[in-house]
């Protein structure tokens, strides 16, 4: 299970790096969130609303689609009572709380280091 | 190295939400419920047969709004409304005028509470920032 997750992660990070090397657009978080699809997360928004749900999909703007949602403080947000799935605009997210078991930190650190390198290289040439 | 713009295929798509009744939460705190007819990459939306729903206490009121075009930067989230849950809402619906009344009372009460809080904090040496826009 852990290996499958690791393979997924490696694939996505490789996918991101295989594209144009001079492209400094960091797709690292997009790739990282793609590995979180199917995992339960809690998204805290800038308006203090916190929504727990399973990640259905994510896109390049880090918009997140959650299914089977549960609002953390339902009394304050009665309008969310009849909502089971939602699309959250990336720009309004403050935090995404995840389970540490689903994250391979060594792989992430590695990918982050690799993303930083190509930006340094052209400066020397 | 190519200079061509990158077109990433997005796993994300609102196409599944088209022609569905959605709840749209806006940055100014408004809740708009309508049928999603169109969208774009900025999450600009076109909603039809929309209404603005105001919640106060255990009640809510609707105001007919017709067709709405919402600029994407104001969108917080889109929620798919589960029709069964809608019918079983523990809240009661009131005419919009009554809801407006209740809302006015609520905001007056809140204003008085905030004023008191600000005064207390001020005595302790805190300065409260009152940005009255988003959320």
């Amino acid at each position: 299970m852990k290996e499958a997750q690791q393979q997924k992660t490696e694939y996505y990070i490789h996918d991101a790096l295989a594209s144009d090397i001079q492209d400094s657009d960091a797709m690292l978080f997009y790739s990282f969130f793609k590995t979180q699809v199917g995992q339960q997360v809690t998204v805290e928004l800038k308006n203090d609303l916190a929504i727990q749900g399973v990640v259905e999909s994510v896109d390049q703007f880090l918009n997140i689609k959650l299914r089977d949602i549960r609002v953390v403080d339902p009394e304050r947000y009665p309008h969310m009572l009849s909502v089971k799935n939602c699309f959250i605009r990336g720009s309004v997210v403050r935090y995404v709380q995840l389970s540490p078991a689903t994250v391979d930190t060594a792989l992430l650190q590695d990918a982050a280091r690799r993303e930083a390198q190509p930006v340094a290289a052209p400066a020397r040439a | 190295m190519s200079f061509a713009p990158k077109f990433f295929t997005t796993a994300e798509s609102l196409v599944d939400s088209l022609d569905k009744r959605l709840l749209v939460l806006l940055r100014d705190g408004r809740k708009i419920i309508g049928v999603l007819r169109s969208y774009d990459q900025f999450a600009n939306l076109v909603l039809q047969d929309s209404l603005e729903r105001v919640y106060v206490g255990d009640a809510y009121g609707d105001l007919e709004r017709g067709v709405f075009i919402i600029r994407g930067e104001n969108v917080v989230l889109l929620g798919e409304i589960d029709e069964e849950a809608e019918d079983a809402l523990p809240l009661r619906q009131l005419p919009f005028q009554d809801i407006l009344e209740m809302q006015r009372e609520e905001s007056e009460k809140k204003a008085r509470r905030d004023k008191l809080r600000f005064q207390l904090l001020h005595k302790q040496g805190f300065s409260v920032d009152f940005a009255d826009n988003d959320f």
Side-chain angles (χ1 to χ4, degrees), chain A residues 19-23 25 27 30 34 37 45-49 51 56-65 75 77-92 94, chain B residues 1-3 6-17 23 25-27 31 41-43 55 57 72-83 85-86 89-91 135:
Chain A
S19 46
D20 192 347
I21 288 185
Q22 276 190 340
D23 180 12
D25 291 350
M27 295 301 279
Y30 172 40
K34 280 203 279 190
V37 171
L45 307 180
K46 289 179 184 170
N47 65 353
D48 293 341
L49 172 60
I51 304 173
E56 201 175 304
S57 63
V58 77
D59 71 4
Q60 50 169 316
F61 304 114
L62 306 185
N63 296 329
I64 301 175
K65 257 180 141 172
E75 285 189 359
Y77 308 102
H79 49 275
M80 299 295 290
L81 280 174
S82 45
V83 177
K84 296 279 172 286
N85 315 311
C86 65
F87 163 96
I88 302 173
R89 199 168 193 269
S91 62
V92 303
R94 185 186 288 144
Chain B
M1 303 300 166
S2 79
F3 293 98
K6 285 209 164 3
F7 292 108
F8 294 98
T9 49
T10 53
E12 187 64 80
S13 188
L14 282 174
V15 74
D16 308 314
S17 304
L23 163 79
L25 228 82
L26 299 179
R27 285 219 318 245
K31 296 108 189 161
Q41 71 269 37
F42 304 110
Y55 296 82
E73 63 170 326
N74 299 293
V75 174
V76 170
L77 67 80
L78 305 178
E80 258 180 48
I81 296 200
D82 183 25
E83 298 297 336
E86 259 287 274
L89 272 182
L91 310 167
F135 306 131

Coordinates of all heavy atoms in Angstrom, one line a residue, chain A residues 19-23 25 27 30 34 37 45-49 51 56-65 75 77-92 94, chain B residues 1-3 6-17 23 25-27 31 41-43 55 57 72-83 85-86 89-91 135:
Chain A
S19 N 8.7 17.8 -17.9 CA 8.3 19.0 -18.7 C 9.5 19.9 -18.8 O 10.5 19.8 -18.2 CB 7.1 19.6 -18.2 OG 7.2 19.8 -16.8
D20 N 9.3 21.0 -19.6 CA 10.4 22.0 -19.9 C 11.2 22.3 -18.7 O 10.7 22.8 -17.7 CB 9.6 23.2 -20.4 CG 10.6 24.2 -21.0 OD1 11.8 24.0 -20.8 OD2 10.2 25.1 -21.6
I21 N 12.5 22.1 -18.8 CA 13.4 22.3 -17.6 C 13.5 23.7 -17.3 O 13.7 24.1 -16.1 CB 14.8 21.7 -17.9 CG1 14.7 20.2 -17.9 CG2 15.8 22.2 -17.0 CD1 16.0 19.5 -18.0
Q22 N 13.4 24.7 -18.3 CA 13.5 26.1 -17.9 C 12.2 26.6 -17.3 O 12.2 27.7 -16.8 CB 13.8 26.9 -19.1 CG 15.3 26.9 -19.4 CD 15.6 27.9 -20.5 OE1 14.8 28.3 -21.3 NE2 16.9 28.3 -20.6
D23 N 11.2 25.8 -17.3 CA 9.9 26.2 -16.8 C 10.0 26.3 -15.2 O 10.2 25.3 -14.6 CB 8.8 25.2 -17.2 CG 7.4 25.6 -16.6 OD1 7.3 26.8 -16.2 OD2 6.5 24.8 -16.7
D25 N 7.6 27.3 -13.3 CA 6.3 27.2 -12.7 C 6.3 25.9 -11.8 O 6.4 24.8 -12.3 CB 5.2 27.1 -13.7 CG 5.0 28.4 -14.4 OD1 5.6 29.4 -14.0 OD2 4.3 28.4 -15.4
M27 N 5.1 22.9 -10.3 CA 3.9 22.1 -10.3 C 4.0 21.1 -9.2 O 3.3 20.1 -9.2 CB 3.8 21.4 -11.7 CG 3.6 22.3 -12.8 SD 2.1 23.3 -12.6 CE 0.9 22.1 -13.2
Y30 N 0.9 20.7 -7.1 CA -0.2 20.1 -7.9 C 0.1 18.6 -7.9 O -0.8 17.8 -7.7 CB -0.1 20.7 -9.3 CG -1.0 20.0 -10.3 CD1 -2.3 19.6 -10.0 CD2 -0.6 19.8 -11.6 CE1 -3.1 19.0 -10.9 CE2 -1.4 19.2 -12.5 CZ -2.6 18.8 -12.2 OH -3.4 18.2 -13.1
K34 N -2.2 15.6 -6.2 CA -2.7 14.5 -7.0 C -2.5 13.1 -6.3 O -3.3 12.2 -6.4 CB -2.0 14.4 -8.4 CG -2.6 15.4 -9.4 CD -2.4 15.1 -10.8 CE -1.1 15.5 -11.3 NZ -0.9 15.3 -12.8
V37 N -5.4 12.3 -3.8 CA -6.7 12.0 -4.3 C -7.2 10.7 -3.7 O -6.4 9.7 -3.7 CB -6.7 11.8 -5.9 CG1 -8.1 11.3 -6.3 CG2 -6.5 13.2 -6.5
L45 N -10.5 27.3 5.1 CA -10.5 28.4 4.2 C -10.2 29.7 4.9 O -10.2 29.8 6.2 CB -11.9 28.5 3.6 CG -12.5 27.3 3.0 CD1 -13.9 27.6 2.5 CD2 -11.6 26.8 1.9
K46 N -9.9 30.7 4.1 CA -9.6 32.0 4.7 C -10.7 32.7 5.4 O -10.5 33.6 6.3 CB -9.1 33.0 3.6 CG -7.7 32.6 3.0 CD -7.3 33.5 1.9 CE -6.0 33.0 1.3 NZ -5.7 33.8 0.0
N47 N -11.9 32.2 5.2 CA -13.1 32.8 6.0 C -13.3 31.9 7.2 O -14.4 32.0 7.8 CB -14.3 32.9 5.1 CG -14.8 31.5 4.7 OD1 -14.2 30.5 4.9 ND2 -16.0 31.5 4.0
D48 N -12.4 31.1 7.6 CA -12.4 30.3 8.8 C -13.3 29.1 8.7 O -13.4 28.3 9.7 CB -12.8 31.1 10.1 CG -11.8 32.2 10.4 OD1 -10.6 32.0 10.0 OD2 -12.2 33.1 11.1
L49 N -14.0 28.9 7.6 CA -14.7 27.7 7.4 C -13.8 26.5 7.2 O -12.9 26.6 6.4 CB -15.7 27.8 6.2 CG -16.5 26.6 5.7 CD1 -17.4 26.1 6.8 CD2 -17.3 27.0 4.5
I51 N -13.6 22.4 6.2 CA -14.4 21.3 5.7 C -13.6 20.1 5.6 O -12.5 20.1 5.1 CB -14.8 21.7 4.2 CG1 -15.6 23.0 4.2 CG2 -15.7 20.6 3.6 CD1 -15.9 23.5 2.8
E56 N -11.4 14.5 -4.3 CA -11.9 13.9 -5.5 C -11.0 14.2 -6.6 O -10.6 13.4 -7.4 CB -13.3 14.4 -5.8 CG -14.1 13.5 -6.7 CD -15.5 14.0 -6.8 OE1 -16.2 14.1 -5.8 OE2 -15.9 14.2 -8.0
S57 N -10.6 15.5 -6.7 CA -9.6 15.9 -7.7 C -9.0 17.3 -7.4 O -9.5 18.0 -6.5 CB -10.3 16.0 -9.1 OG -11.3 17.0 -9.1
V58 N -7.9 17.6 -8.1 CA -7.3 18.9 -7.8 C -6.8 19.4 -9.2 O -6.7 18.6 -10.1 CB -6.1 18.6 -6.9 CG1 -4.9 18.0 -7.5 CG2 -5.7 19.9 -6.2
D59 N -6.6 20.7 -9.4 CA -6.1 21.2 -10.7 C -4.9 22.1 -10.5 O -4.4 22.3 -9.4 CB -7.2 21.8 -11.4 CG -7.6 23.1 -10.8 OD1 -7.0 23.6 -9.8 OD2 -8.6 23.8 -11.3
Q60 N -4.4 22.6 -11.6 CA -3.2 23.4 -11.6 C -3.3 24.6 -10.7 O -2.3 25.2 -10.3 CB -2.8 23.8 -13.0 CG -4.0 24.4 -13.8 CD -3.5 25.1 -15.0 OE1 -2.5 25.7 -15.1 NE2 -4.3 24.9 -16.1
F61 N -4.5 25.1 -10.5 CA -4.7 26.3 -9.6 C -4.8 25.9 -8.2 O -5.1 26.7 -7.3 CB -5.9 27.1 -10.0 CG -5.9 27.5 -11.5 CD1 -6.8 27.0 -12.4 CD2 -4.9 28.4 -11.9 CE1 -6.8 27.4 -13.7 CE2 -4.9 28.8 -13.2 CZ -5.8 28.3 -14.1
L62 N -4.7 24.6 -7.9 CA -4.9 24.0 -6.6 C -6.3 24.2 -6.1 O -6.6 24.3 -4.9 CB -3.9 24.5 -5.6 CG -2.4 24.4 -6.0 CD1 -1.5 24.8 -4.9 CD2 -2.1 22.9 -6.4
N63 N -7.3 24.3 -7.1 CA -8.7 24.2 -6.8 C -8.9 22.8 -6.3 O -8.3 21.9 -6.8 CB -9.6 24.4 -8.0 CG -9.5 25.9 -8.5 OD1 -9.3 26.8 -7.8 ND2 -9.7 26.0 -9.8
I64 N -9.7 22.6 -5.3 CA -9.9 21.2 -4.8 C -11.3 20.8 -4.8 O -12.2 21.6 -4.5 CB -9.4 21.2 -3.3 CG1 -8.0 21.6 -3.2 CG2 -9.6 19.8 -2.7 CD1 -7.5 21.7 -1.7
K65 N -11.6 19.6 -5.2 CA -13.0 19.1 -5.2 C -13.0 18.0 -4.1 O -12.2 17.1 -4.1 CB -13.3 18.4 -6.5 CG -14.2 19.2 -7.4 CD -14.5 18.5 -8.7 CE -15.9 18.7 -9.1 NZ -16.2 18.2 -10.5
E75 N -22.9 24.4 13.1 CA -23.9 25.3 13.6 C -23.7 26.7 13.0 O -24.6 27.4 12.7 CB -23.8 25.4 15.1 CG -24.5 24.2 15.8 CD -24.6 24.4 17.3 OE1 -24.2 25.4 17.8 OE2 -25.2 23.4 17.9
Y77 N -22.5 27.4 10.2 CA -22.7 27.4 8.7 C -23.9 26.5 8.3 O -23.7 25.5 7.7 CB -21.4 26.8 8.0 CG -20.1 27.6 8.5 CD1 -19.3 27.0 9.5 CD2 -19.8 28.8 8.1 CE1 -18.2 27.6 9.9 CE2 -18.7 29.5 8.5 CZ -17.9 28.9 9.4 OH -16.7 29.6 9.9
P78 N -25.1 27.0 8.6 CA -26.3 26.2 8.2 C -26.5 26.0 6.7 O -27.1 25.0 6.3 CB -27.4 27.0 8.8 CG -26.9 28.4 8.9 CD -25.4 28.3 9.1
H79 N -25.9 26.9 5.9 CA -26.1 26.7 4.5 C -25.4 25.5 3.9 O -25.7 25.1 2.8 CB -25.6 28.0 3.8 CG -24.2 28.4 4.2 ND1 -23.9 29.2 5.3 CD2 -23.0 28.1 3.7 CE1 -22.6 29.4 5.4 NE2 -22.0 28.7 4.4
M80 N -24.5 24.9 4.7 CA -23.7 23.7 4.2 C -24.4 22.4 4.5 O -24.0 21.4 4.2 CB -22.3 23.7 4.8 CG -21.4 24.9 4.5 SD -21.0 25.0 2.7 CE -20.0 23.6 2.5
L81 N -25.6 22.5 5.2 CA -26.3 21.3 5.6 C -26.6 20.4 4.5 O -26.5 19.1 4.6 CB -27.6 21.7 6.3 CG -27.4 22.1 7.8 CD1 -28.7 22.6 8.3 CD2 -26.9 21.0 8.6
S82 N -27.1 20.9 3.3 CA -27.5 20.0 2.3 C -26.5 19.8 1.2 O -26.8 19.4 0.1 CB -28.8 20.6 1.6 OG -28.7 21.9 1.4
V83 N -25.2 20.1 1.5 CA -24.1 20.0 0.5 C -23.3 18.8 0.8 O -22.8 18.6 2.0 CB -23.3 21.2 0.5 CG1 -22.1 21.1 -0.5 CG2 -24.1 22.4 0.1
K84 N -23.1 17.9 -0.2 CA -22.3 16.7 0.1 C -21.0 16.7 -0.7 O -20.0 16.1 -0.2 CB -23.1 15.4 -0.4 CG -24.4 15.1 0.3 CD -24.1 14.4 1.6 CE -25.3 14.3 2.5 NZ -25.8 15.6 3.2
N85 N -21.0 17.4 -1.8 CA -19.7 17.6 -2.6 C -19.5 19.0 -2.8 O -20.5 19.8 -3.1 CB -19.8 16.9 -3.9 CG -20.4 15.5 -3.9 OD1 -20.0 14.7 -3.0 ND2 -21.4 15.3 -4.7
C86 N -18.2 19.4 -2.9 CA -18.0 20.8 -3.2 C -16.7 21.0 -4.0 O -15.8 20.2 -4.0 CB -18.0 21.7 -1.9 SG -16.7 21.3 -0.8
F87 N -16.7 22.2 -4.6 CA -15.5 22.6 -5.4 C -15.0 23.8 -4.7 O -15.8 24.8 -4.5 CB -16.0 23.0 -6.8 CG -15.0 23.8 -7.6 CD1 -14.1 23.2 -8.4 CD2 -15.0 25.2 -7.5 CE1 -13.2 24.0 -9.2 CE2 -14.1 26.0 -8.2 CZ -13.2 25.4 -9.1
I88 N -13.8 23.8 -4.2 CA -13.2 24.9 -3.5 C -12.2 25.6 -4.3 O -11.2 25.0 -4.8 CB -12.6 24.4 -2.2 CG1 -13.6 23.7 -1.3 CG2 -12.0 25.6 -1.4 CD1 -13.0 23.1 -0.1
R89 N -12.3 26.9 -4.5 CA -11.4 27.7 -5.3 C -10.1 27.8 -4.6 O -10.0 28.1 -3.4 CB -11.9 29.1 -5.6 CG -11.3 29.8 -6.7 CD -12.0 31.1 -7.1 NE -11.6 31.6 -8.3 CZ -10.7 32.6 -8.5 NH1 -10.0 33.0 -7.5 NH2 -10.4 33.0 -9.7
G90 N -9.0 27.5 -5.3 CA -7.7 27.4 -4.7 C -7.3 28.7 -3.9 O -6.6 28.6 -2.9
S91 N -7.7 29.8 -4.4 CA -7.3 31.1 -3.9 C -7.9 31.4 -2.5 O -7.4 32.3 -1.8 CB -7.7 32.3 -4.8 OG -9.1 32.3 -4.9
V92 N -8.9 30.6 -2.1 CA -9.5 30.9 -0.7 C -9.0 29.9 0.3 O -9.5 30.0 1.5 CB -11.0 30.9 -0.8 CG1 -11.5 31.9 -1.8 CG2 -11.5 29.5 -1.1
R94 N -6.7 28.4 3.1 CA -5.7 28.8 4.0 C -4.8 27.6 4.3 O -3.6 27.6 4.2 CB -6.3 29.4 5.3 CG -5.2 29.9 6.3 CD -5.8 30.3 7.6 NE -6.6 31.5 7.5 CZ -7.7 31.7 8.2 NH1 -8.2 30.8 9.1 NH2 -8.4 32.8 8.1
Chain B
M1 N 14.9 24.7 -25.8 CA 13.8 24.8 -24.8 C 12.6 25.5 -25.4 O 12.8 26.5 -26.1 CB 14.2 25.5 -23.6 CG 15.4 24.8 -22.9 SD 15.2 23.1 -22.5 CE 16.8 22.6 -22.2
S2 N 11.4 25.0 -25.2 CA 10.3 25.6 -25.9 C 9.8 26.8 -25.1 O 9.9 26.9 -23.9 CB 9.1 24.5 -26.0 OG 8.5 24.4 -24.8
F3 N 9.2 27.7 -25.9 CA 8.6 28.9 -25.2 C 7.1 28.9 -25.4 O 6.5 29.8 -25.1 CB 9.2 30.2 -25.9 CG 10.6 30.4 -25.6 CD1 11.6 30.0 -26.6 CD2 11.1 30.9 -24.4 CE1 12.9 30.2 -26.3 CE2 12.4 31.1 -24.1 CZ 13.4 30.7 -25.1
K6 N 2.2 26.4 -21.8 CA 1.9 25.0 -21.4 C 0.4 24.9 -21.2 O -0.3 25.7 -20.5 CB 2.6 24.7 -20.1 CG 4.0 24.5 -20.3 CD 4.6 23.6 -19.3 CE 5.9 23.0 -19.7 NZ 6.5 23.4 -20.9
F7 N -0.2 23.9 -21.7 CA -1.6 23.6 -21.5 C -1.7 22.3 -20.7 O -1.6 21.2 -21.2 CB -2.4 23.5 -22.8 CG -2.5 24.8 -23.5 CD1 -1.8 25.1 -24.6 CD2 -3.3 25.9 -23.0 CE1 -1.8 26.3 -25.3 CE2 -3.3 27.1 -23.6 CZ -2.6 27.3 -24.7
F8 N -1.8 22.5 -19.4 CA -1.9 21.3 -18.6 C -3.3 20.7 -18.6 O -4.3 21.5 -18.5 CB -1.5 21.6 -17.1 CG -0.1 22.0 -17.0 CD1 0.3 23.3 -16.9 CD2 0.9 21.0 -16.9 CE1 1.6 23.7 -16.8 CE2 2.2 21.4 -16.7 CZ 2.6 22.7 -16.7
T9 N -3.5 19.4 -18.7 CA -4.8 18.9 -18.6 C -5.2 18.9 -17.2 O -4.4 18.5 -16.3 CB -4.9 17.5 -19.2 OG1 -3.8 16.7 -18.6 CG2 -4.7 17.4 -20.7
T10 N -6.3 19.5 -16.9 CA -6.7 19.6 -15.5 C -7.6 18.4 -15.1 O -8.5 18.1 -15.8 CB -7.5 20.9 -15.2 OG1 -8.6 20.9 -16.2 CG2 -6.6 22.1 -15.4
A11 N -7.2 17.8 -14.0 CA -8.1 16.7 -13.4 C -9.4 17.3 -13.0 O -10.4 16.7 -13.0 CB -7.4 16.0 -12.3
E12 N -9.3 18.6 -12.6 CA -10.4 19.3 -12.1 C -11.4 19.7 -13.2 O -10.9 20.2 -14.3 CB -9.9 20.6 -11.5 CG -10.9 21.4 -10.8 CD -11.4 20.7 -9.6 OE1 -10.7 20.6 -8.6 OE2 -12.5 20.1 -9.8
S13 N -12.6 19.6 -13.1 CA -13.5 20.1 -14.1 C -14.9 20.4 -13.4 O -15.4 19.6 -12.6 CB -13.7 19.1 -15.2 OG -14.4 19.7 -16.2
L14 N -15.5 21.5 -13.8 CA -16.8 21.8 -13.3 C -17.9 21.3 -14.3 O -19.0 21.5 -14.1 CB -17.0 23.3 -13.2 CG -16.3 23.9 -11.9 CD1 -16.4 25.4 -11.9 CD2 -17.0 23.3 -10.7
V15 N -17.4 20.6 -15.3 CA -18.4 20.1 -16.3 C -19.4 19.1 -15.7 O -20.5 19.1 -16.1 CB -17.6 19.4 -17.5 CG1 -17.1 18.1 -17.1 CG2 -18.5 19.4 -18.7
D16 N -19.0 18.4 -14.6 CA -19.9 17.5 -14.0 C -21.0 18.3 -13.2 O -22.0 17.7 -12.9 CB -19.2 16.6 -13.0 CG -18.0 15.9 -13.6 OD1 -18.2 15.4 -14.7 OD2 -16.9 15.9 -13.0
S17 N -20.7 19.5 -12.9 CA -21.7 20.3 -12.1 C -22.6 21.1 -13.0 O -23.5 21.8 -12.5 CB -20.9 21.3 -11.2 OG -20.0 20.6 -10.4
L23 N -25.0 25.6 -4.7 CA -24.9 26.7 -3.7 C -23.5 27.4 -4.0 O -22.5 26.7 -4.0 CB -24.9 26.2 -2.3 CG -24.4 27.1 -1.2 CD1 -25.5 28.2 -0.9 CD2 -24.0 26.4 0.1
L25 N -20.9 30.1 -2.5 CA -20.5 31.0 -1.4 C -19.6 32.1 -2.0 O -18.6 31.8 -2.7 CB -19.7 30.2 -0.4 CG -20.1 30.3 1.0 CD1 -21.3 29.3 1.2 CD2 -19.0 29.9 2.0
L26 N -20.0 33.3 -1.7 CA -19.2 34.4 -2.2 C -18.3 35.0 -1.1 O -18.6 34.8 0.1 CB -20.1 35.5 -2.8 CG -21.0 35.1 -3.9 CD1 -21.8 36.3 -4.4 CD2 -20.1 34.6 -5.1
R27 N -17.3 35.7 -1.5 CA -16.3 36.2 -0.5 C -17.0 37.2 0.5 O -16.5 37.4 1.6 CB -15.1 36.9 -1.2 CG -14.1 36.0 -1.8 CD -12.7 36.4 -1.6 NE -12.4 37.7 -1.8 CZ -11.6 38.2 -2.8 NH1 -11.1 37.3 -3.7 NH2 -11.4 39.5 -2.9
K31 N -24.8 33.9 0.0 CA -25.0 32.5 -0.5 C -26.0 32.6 -1.7 O -27.2 33.0 -1.5 CB -25.6 31.6 0.5 CG -24.7 31.4 1.7 CD -25.1 32.1 2.9 CE -24.1 32.1 4.0 NZ -24.3 33.1 5.0
Q41 N -12.0 29.1 -16.9 CA -10.9 28.7 -16.1 C -10.7 29.6 -14.9 O -10.0 29.3 -14.0 CB -9.6 28.7 -16.9 CG -9.1 30.1 -17.3 CD -9.6 30.6 -18.7 OE1 -10.8 30.3 -19.0 NE2 -8.8 31.3 -19.4
F42 N -11.3 30.8 -14.8 CA -11.2 31.7 -13.6 C -12.3 31.4 -12.6 O -12.4 32.0 -11.6 CB -11.3 33.1 -14.1 CG -10.3 33.5 -15.1 CD1 -10.7 33.8 -16.4 CD2 -8.9 33.6 -14.8 CE1 -9.8 34.1 -17.4 CE2 -8.0 33.9 -15.7 CZ -8.4 34.2 -17.0
A43 N -13.1 30.4 -12.9 CA -14.3 30.1 -12.1 C -15.3 31.2 -12.2 O -16.1 31.4 -11.2 CB -13.9 29.8 -10.7
Y55 N -29.5 33.5 5.9 CA -29.8 32.7 7.1 C -29.7 33.5 8.3 O -28.7 34.2 8.5 CB -28.8 31.5 7.2 CG -28.8 30.5 6.1 CD1 -28.2 30.8 4.9 CD2 -29.5 29.3 6.2 CE1 -28.3 29.8 3.9 CE2 -29.6 28.4 5.2 CZ -28.9 28.7 4.0 OH -29.0 27.7 3.0
G57 N -30.4 32.8 12.5 CA -30.9 31.9 13.6 C -31.3 30.6 13.0 O -30.5 29.9 12.3
G72 N -15.1 35.2 -11.0 CA -14.4 34.1 -10.3 C -13.7 34.5 -9.1 O -13.7 33.7 -8.1
E73 N -13.1 35.7 -9.0 CA -12.3 36.0 -7.8 C -13.2 36.1 -6.6 O -12.7 36.1 -5.5 CB -11.6 37.3 -8.1 CG -12.4 38.5 -8.3 CD -11.7 39.8 -8.3 OE1 -10.7 40.0 -7.6 OE2 -12.1 40.7 -9.1
N74 N -14.5 36.3 -6.8 CA -15.4 36.4 -5.6 C -15.9 35.1 -5.1 O -16.6 35.1 -4.1 CB -16.6 37.3 -6.0 CG -16.2 38.7 -6.4 OD1 -15.7 39.4 -5.6 ND2 -16.3 39.0 -7.7
V75 N -15.6 34.0 -5.8 CA -16.1 32.7 -5.4 C -15.3 32.1 -4.4 O -14.1 32.0 -4.5 CB -16.2 31.8 -6.7 CG1 -16.6 30.4 -6.3 CG2 -17.1 32.3 -7.7
V76 N -15.9 31.6 -3.3 CA -15.2 30.8 -2.3 C -15.4 29.4 -2.6 O -14.4 28.6 -2.7 CB -15.8 31.2 -0.9 CG1 -15.2 30.2 0.2 CG2 -15.5 32.6 -0.5
L77 N -16.6 28.9 -2.6 CA -16.8 27.5 -3.0 C -18.2 27.3 -3.7 O -19.1 28.1 -3.6 CB -16.7 26.6 -1.8 CG -17.7 26.6 -0.6 CD1 -19.0 25.8 -0.9 CD2 -17.0 26.0 0.6
L78 N -18.2 26.2 -4.4 CA -19.5 25.7 -5.0 C -19.8 24.4 -4.4 O -19.0 23.5 -4.2 CB -19.2 25.4 -6.5 CG -18.7 26.5 -7.4 CD1 -18.5 25.9 -8.8 CD2 -19.5 27.7 -7.5
G79 N -21.1 24.3 -3.9 CA -21.5 23.1 -3.3 C -22.7 22.5 -4.1 O -23.6 23.2 -4.5
E80 N -22.6 21.2 -4.3 CA -23.8 20.5 -5.0 C -24.8 20.3 -4.0 O -24.6 19.7 -3.0 CB -23.3 19.2 -5.6 CG -23.0 19.2 -7.0 CD -22.6 17.8 -7.5 OE1 -23.3 16.8 -7.2 OE2 -21.6 17.8 -8.2
I81 N -26.0 20.8 -4.3 CA -27.1 20.7 -3.3 C -27.8 19.3 -3.5 O -28.2 18.9 -4.5 CB -28.2 21.8 -3.5 CG1 -27.5 23.1 -3.2 CG2 -29.3 21.5 -2.6 CD1 -28.4 24.2 -2.9
D82 N -27.8 18.6 -2.3 CA -28.4 17.3 -2.3 C -29.9 17.5 -2.0 O -30.3 18.0 -1.0 CB -27.8 16.5 -1.1 CG -28.4 15.1 -1.0 OD1 -28.8 14.6 -2.1 OD2 -28.4 14.5 0.1
E83 N -30.7 17.2 -3.1 CA -32.2 17.6 -3.0 C -32.9 17.0 -1.8 O -33.7 17.6 -1.2 CB -32.9 17.1 -4.3 CG -32.3 17.8 -5.6 CD -32.6 19.3 -5.6 OE1 -33.5 19.7 -4.9 OE2 -31.8 20.0 -6.3
A85 N -31.6 16.2 1.2 CA -31.2 17.0 2.4 C -31.9 18.3 2.4 O -32.2 18.8 3.5 CB -29.7 17.1 2.4
E86 N -32.1 18.9 1.2 CA -32.7 20.2 1.1 C -34.1 20.1 1.7 O -34.6 21.0 2.4 CB -32.9 20.6 -0.4 CG -31.9 21.6 -0.9 CD -32.1 23.0 -0.4 OE1 -32.9 23.7 -1.1 OE2 -31.6 23.4 0.6
L89 N -34.4 20.0 5.6 CA -33.7 21.0 6.3 C -34.4 21.3 7.7 O -35.6 21.5 7.7 CB -33.7 22.3 5.5 CG -32.5 22.5 4.6 CD1 -32.6 23.8 3.9 CD2 -31.2 22.3 5.3
P90 N -33.6 21.3 8.8 CA -34.2 21.7 10.1 C -34.5 23.1 10.2 O -34.9 23.6 11.3 CB -33.1 21.2 11.1 CG -31.9 21.3 10.3 CD -32.2 21.0 8.9
L91 N -34.4 23.9 9.2 CA -34.6 25.4 9.3 C -36.0 25.7 8.7 O -36.5 25.0 7.8 CB -33.5 26.1 8.5 CG -32.1 25.8 8.8 CD1 -31.2 26.4 7.7 CD2 -31.7 26.2 10.1
F135 N -15.6 38.3 3.7 CA -16.0 37.3 4.7 C -16.8 38.0 5.8 O -17.5 37.3 6.5 CB -14.8 36.6 5.3 CG -13.9 35.9 4.2 CD1 -12.6 36.1 4.2 CD2 -14.5 35.2 3.2 CE1 -11.8 35.6 3.3 CE2 -13.7 34.7 2.2 CZ -12.3 34.9 2.2

